[in-house]
Amino acid sequence: AVSSNAQQERRFPDDFLFGAATASYQIEGAWNVDGKGESIWDRMTHTKPHLIKDMTNGDIAANSYYNYKRDVEMIRELGLDAYRFSISWPRILPNPLAPYEVNQAGVDFYNNYINEMLKYNITPMATIYHWDLPQKLQDLGGLLSPMFPEWFEHYARVVYEKFGDRVKLWTTFNEPREMCLLGYGGDEKAPFLNLTDIGTYYCAKNLLLAHARAYHAYNNDFKPTQNGECGIVINISWIGPLTDSEEDNYAAELKRQAEWGIYAEPIFSEQGGFPKEFAEVVAQKSIEQGYATSRLPELTEEERKFIQGSFDFLGINHYTGYLVSANEYKTANAVPSLLDDADVGVYISDDWLPSASDWLKMVPDSLYNLLTHLKDKYNNPPVYITESGWSEVPETGLIDDERILFYRTALNNALDCLEAGVNLKGYMAWSLMDNYEWIAGYTELFGLYEVDFKSEAKTRTPRKSAFVYKQIVKTRVIDPDYEPTDMVMTID
Ligand code: GBH
């Protein structure tokens, strides 16, 4: 172990981008205000509230549509370099099939938001799509429609056009896995389609094509004048082998390919296309199951080339990890599905601290293991950690010592990565404030700031972790002994 003195000498470079992240549906509220159209999360939470743990929705959430100046003030209090936020598609294009019918009130909102950030030298990083699809496009098939890439490119062009003079860091999609596996192949995210056999894979193909269209649109038509960068955000857990055996190593690789490789490999690998071993397994199983072709659709040579290399950087949402075994810890997967295709066992150690979310454990070296793995795999692309964070139950309140431990652990990993030569350019905490945690409603909270959802004003109060994060950002050093002297927040 490194002594605390030696650790204190390890610094983040001055140009390392520290930030915090949020997403439109989770914070904005104002779901039907000023011409905004209906999204799939509006529809789903209104018509099927029982799917949400506490039967709540994002109709009001943290009400950031009205509180955005306070949100930017919080970023100033924390002394952050950047703010990652997402743009609501139905707020910009309530009639999404008429992409030139732009909702001016929606544009005004994001203009005000972005200008408020720039006023204080905060770098905006915009997510073009973070799960709030216009319901109208879902009615036409959503991400399963072959039209989807065209719809998405139209929308992306609108936001580049409106905001690209000021936004220089763009990401197309947030977390393909959550949309495709859990939304189309499962029933844990809108649109809850549960098309287990092919939903995930058809979604993945259309998403990759849509991403590539939006990337090339930016690269060809906006980058020359706007000079920004465009990437994608993929959620990647660290997945390691349970033992050093060849079988467990192969099982872990297969699971990595299934969980994130199907989205990352076509974009970031040298050769492009879906990951080889996994594609072979799905093809083989599909035939055995009586399908005419592989359930994982082919990419034509032209599509493969179009998608390959469509990035300026890789955004990674990283929270946790687990170990994989070829034979042990398996659970039955009765139906054709991604989980059955990568039919491996998953092991989670009792030593890993649990959070308020069942999927989130504190895995001490996961960020380091992951980023060094990706460095070698994809030739060291520029990487931003676009989300990283820890959930607590509401009762935890303001003294969130486990979250502090999580951030110190993750950021120590980040320093290890910098020393190992990983091209890591920034780190965004999830989340700036408590927000609507999808099907968990308001029962699992990730905020550096607590939000009093019962109050009219949706009052924000800094947690202890906010002071610790602020100190790290200010000094560029992780002091393991730092304790805030009081809980009074100021703008330095
Ligand atoms: C992110 O998802 C989201 O981008 C963000 O909106 C969200 O609020 C935040 O993180 C916290 O959850 O895979 O079947 O076990 C994090 C990704 C979401 C991955 C939940 C694991 C659990 C379902 N995680 N998911 S499953």
Side-chain angles (χ1 to χ4, degrees), residues 127-267:
T127 310
I128 299 174
Y129 180 72
H130 195 129
W131 307 352
D132 41 3
L133 189 73
Q135 179 61 41
K136 208 172 266 185
L137 296 184
Q138 189 57 52
D139 296 342
L140 294 161
L143 273 95
L144 298 185
S145 168
M147 294 297 290
F148 181 77
E150 188 178 317
W151 300 334
F152 187 70
E153 182 188 335
H154 279 145
Y155 164 51
R157 283 179 180 275
V158 170
V159 297
Y160 299 148
E161 169 96 37
K162 298 289 177 194
F163 310 119
D165 57 334
R166 287 152 295 149
V167 173
K168 305 300 172 189
L169 288 172
W170 291 100
T171 65
T172 54
F173 289 100
N174 180 71
E175 299 196 347
R177 175 193 183 272
E178 304 304 294
M179 285 183 259
C180 293
L181 178 66
L182 302 186
Y184 289 86
D187 57 0
E188 290 173 60
K189 292 265 149 57
F192 288 80
L193 288 189
N194 213 19
L195 302 166
T196 51
D197 57 347
I198 57 147
T200 310
Y201 301 136
Y202 279 57
C203 170
K205 177 175 175 171
N206 281 338
L207 179 143
L208 287 161
L209 290 168
H211 158 77
R213 283 182 73 140
Y215 173 82
H216 290 297
Y218 188 74
N219 208 40
N220 297 335
D221 298 338
F222 295 90
K223 199 177 192 178
T225 51
Q226 297 183 345
N227 294 312
E229 299 188 342
C230 181
I232 185 169
V233 170
I234 303 181
N235 55 316
I236 312 186
S237 295
W238 165 244
I239 301 175
L242 181 63
T243 72
D244 267 344
S245 74
E246 211 172 299
E247 288 108 309
D248 283 1
N249 269 295
Y250 175 76
E253 176 56 23
L254 200 66
K255 187 71 169 164
R256 287 193 289 262
Q257 293 186 5
E259 289 285 319
W260 54 264
I262 54 172
Y263 317 104
E265 199 77 3
I267 300 172

